[in-house]
Amino acid sequence: KVLCATGIVAGLLAFFWKDPFNPESLSAARVLLTGASAGIGEQMAYHYARFGAEIVLTARREAVLQKVRTSSYEGRHKRFGLLPKQQQQISCQRGGLDYLVLNHIGVTRFQMWAGDVEYTHWLMQVNFFSYVALATAALPTLEKNKGSLVVVSSLTGKIPTPFTTSYSATKFALDGFFSSLRHELIMQKKNVSITLCILGLIDTDTALENTRGKVHLTASPAPEAALAIILGAATRVQEVFYPWWLHHVCCLWVLFPNDRDQVLQSYYNYSSP
Ligand code: NDP
């Protein structure tokens, strides 16, 4: 309890005394963003473009990604008054990386555990091992540029929830790996920030489809979630909670170990067959 109270005070202090966000810091920042063809990743692409960042977007569906790319350039063009072609040339001229934003996920099943171990292996590969591999490859460049690693996680990576066995495992793994790595970077005086983003239910097409009829929760807007991630990363905070009150949910989870499971399960719709 003392630890949690200390956490709350530290959170409040960090909230009020954190570095203010300077939009100019993102102008011409070099960003590699994964899972950018849809959902929160797509919204992050639009925000980064409006801030004037140079972005490399990744996903599997090339045609969908092309559309996001075109809309991103249009957003940037409106703000900076440059022709899309000029923008593309600028992006190609500079190498290096300032932000690696790891956001993609494999297909998520929102259902009771049915024993598919192979699926869990595969999801670990997509949601966890690929993050480790990409971060490892990017670290030397990020270190040179005092850059940032941004890892998009979930409340279910802090608090285990029903219907998310494999997904939750991948998100807990991210917290373990990247929070440990953050310690090591600080101990080695390497100036790379790691921002872990803990999101609640967000109104992306896939999340709404997965959870329809199964939860009593209201989804928050994806553009706001995307902006919260970008601001948190730009101000180099260790953890972003969106919506903000999820931070308190995590503290309450630790404070009330006896009644918490029943309360949590009441938000999930399940009638035994
Ligand atoms: P979406 O399903 O909307 O988008 C997922 C993105 O990942 C797409 O761009 C998709 O593009 C890409 N992707 C899918 N499969 C693969 C694959 N096998 N390899 C590489 N890329 C792939 O996800 P959300 O926007 O809802 O979620 C984004 C992040 O936010 C995730 O990390 C998620 O865990 C987290 N989050 C989301 C919540 C929500 O309620 N939406 C809640 C909590 C956390 P393509 O298919 O073209 O490859």
Side-chain angles (χ1 to χ4, degrees):
K1 285 179 188 177
V2 171
L3 268 180
C4 194
T6 314
I8 293 172
V9 173
L12 285 172
L13 285 175
F15 182 79
F16 288 112
W17 272 279
K18 72 182 179 201
D19 288 341
F21 170 61
N22 172 14
E24 287 308 311
S25 70
L26 290 178
S27 168
R30 295 154 298 180
V31 180
L32 196 159
L33 167 61
T34 70
S37 63
I40 299 162
E42 177 184 356
Q43 297 303 321
M44 280 197 272
Y46 299 147
H47 284 307
Y48 271 125
R50 270 185 235 114
F51 283 121
E54 297 172 7
I55 39 184
V56 173
L57 310 176
T58 75
R60 295 165 308 166
R61 291 168 299 163
E62 200 180 337
V64 188
L65 203 54
Q66 281 295 350
K67 280 191 194 152
V68 176
R69 182 172 178 267
T70 307
S71 306
S72 302
Y73 276 125
E74 278 166 10
R76 197 172 150 158
H77 168 54
K78 271 192 201 132
R79 180 165 180 235
F80 290 90
L82 289 174
L83 295 170
K85 221 173 188 174
Q86 285 175 293
Q87 297 276 1
Q88 287 175 36
Q89 280 166 0
I90 291 168
S91 300
C92 295
Q93 277 163 14
R94 301 174 67 221
L97 190 64
D98 300 303
Y99 290 90
L100 173 62
V101 185
L102 298 167
N103 164 76
H104 65 277
I105 42 167
V107 174
T108 307
R109 298 174 184 165
F110 197 76
Q111 60 188 38
M112 289 270 171
W113 172 244
D116 191 346
V117 178
E118 274 308 302
Y119 167 72
T120 309
H121 267 285
W122 175 81
L123 201 66
M124 268 290 178
Q125 193 66 42
V126 178
N127 289 12
F128 174 65
F129 287 116
S130 72
Y131 279 43
V132 173
L134 286 166
T136 305
L139 263 177
T141 314
L142 290 175
E143 198 188 330
K144 217 161 56 190
N145 299 318
K146 301 181 174 53
S148 304
L149 260 173
V150 186
V151 178
V152 181
S153 186
S154 161
L155 183 64
T156 196
K158 288 281 185 192
I159 295 176
T161 53
F163 307 142
T164 58
T165 42
S166 306
Y167 174 75
S168 177
T170 66
K171 295 299 190 184
F172 266 83
L174 288 176
D175 193 354
F177 184 88
F178 285 99
S179 300
S180 172
L181 181 63
R182 187 191 296 115
H183 279 303
E184 295 180 7
L185 292 172
I186 293 168
M187 288 159 80
Q188 294 172 92
K189 300 196 181 354
K190 292 185 175 173
N191 197 352
V192 178
S193 66
I194 296 185
T195 299
L196 184 74
C197 307
I198 293 99
L199 308 182
L201 182 62
I202 309 297
D203 66 359
T204 62
D205 291 346
T206 44
L208 292 182
E209 202 174 301
N210 275 338
T211 56
R212 189 167 296 125
K214 292 181 179 167
V215 294
H216 309 290
L217 296 166
T218 308
S220 305
E224 265 187 29
L227 190 59
I229 294 170
I230 290 172
L231 300 197
T235 50
R236 299 174 89 80
V237 299
Q238 294 195 348
E239 292 190 326
V240 168
F241 290 85
Y242 179 85
W244 62 269
W245 45 263
L246 286 188
H247 199 185
H248 302 287
V249 172
C250 290
C251 286
L252 290 171
W253 183 254
V254 178
L255 276 174
F256 298 103
N258 294 331
D259 311 309
R260 63 190 192 183
D261 287 348
Q262 217 179 341
V263 173
L264 189 135
Q265 284 159 25
S266 71
Y267 286 92
Y268 291 79
N269 200 3
Y270 176 70
S271 43
S272 33

